[in-house]
Amino acid sequence: MPGAGKAASSKGRGLAGKPRRLRAATAFLTLVPTWIVVLVVYVGTMIWSIQLSFTSSRMLPTANYVGVEQYRRLFATARWIVSLQNLVIFGVLFIAGCIVIGTLLAISLDRKVRFENAFRTIFLYPYAMSFIVTGLVWQWLMNPELGIQTTMRALGWTSFTFDWVVDRNLAIYAVVLSGLWQSSGLVMVLMLAGLRGVDGEIWRAARVDGIPTWRIYVSIVLPQLGPSLATAVTLLAMGVVKTYDLVVALTNGGPGSASEVPAKFIMDNLFGRQNLGLATAASTVMLITVLAILAPYAYAQSMRARRARGAV
């Protein structure tokens, strides 16, 4: 009967819906501890740190609120201003250099060269090292008493100099050079993955039309690598903001404060000078910087997802 069929069908849907709701409830209950950890450990400590930046806390936290006094002191400190300038220099040169070098390496490997796997491993290997190891390696290489300078002078080039780590004007560029050596391989892998995803018909059509290879890359291929480029820039920018161990291992912020960066300034004030209020004010500024970096990327991702849903 039609009525009985409809009743049985609705009853079946109800029975099928119960396991689905049960699975959803189980998944929610499983994630509850994780959300509690996120809210308490991450969000909670973040809010607590911001709150401390408005107090006069020194060695131990206090509830003596002083408004924005810590921020005034922060931006009146010459060492903090130098660290911000160094962060800009390092960030611009590091990101641009990694993108250029990594893209050129990816294009070279995309030509199906012999021993591609070996070259890819060699170029990516530095990224497997920690920044501490990278800093120590380059500190030795640029040490005027032990490294490349001494070796070249022993070979007869007595005027050769490569002492960037002890030169106030070049110390921050020594940090840039060591960072490029380590992270260019990451960009190479990301860009190579994008290059391998380009439709082969584009290459065949371009060759039939007689378009030079360099023009194919510049005008056709590279514009299609937007997602790979955005991922690389975001990862590199996050690395720039939290740069600490590379500077400590390579120059320790010196000579003087020539290669000081915000992360080292924060750690020195937190543990060395025991100035909790100033350290948390500096960390809050860096948090805002990170959010400013992530916000455009997150917005672009959401807009791309909306367009994709609209297309479907």
Side-chain angles (χ1 to χ4, degrees), residues 79 81-95 138 142 163-180 240 243-244 246-248 250-264:
R79 191 176 167 206
I81 301 301
V82 170
S83 72
L84 292 179
Q85 293 172 348
N86 287 335
L87 185 69
V88 172
I89 294 172
F90 175 75
V92 171
L93 296 179
F94 174 71
I95 294 175
W138 281 93
M142 287 185 272
D163 56 352
W164 292 10
V165 291
V166 296
D167 189 328
R168 292 184 61 89
N169 298 320
L170 297 175
I172 188 61
Y173 301 104
V175 180
V176 173
L177 180 61
S178 58
L180 290 176
V240 168
T243 298
Y244 171 74
L246 178 62
V247 172
V248 171
L250 184 60
T251 64
N252 199 30
S257 60
S259 58
E260 183 81 4
V261 289
K264 186 175 183 302

Side-chain angles (χ1 to χ4, degrees), residues 92-114:
V92 171
L93 296 179
F94 174 71
I95 294 175
C98 284
I99 293 297
V100 171
I101 296 172
T103 302
L104 292 177
L105 290 175
I107 291 174
S108 300
L109 294 180
D110 190 48
R111 307 304 300 165
K112 303 295 192 298
V113 298
R114 295 182 63 185

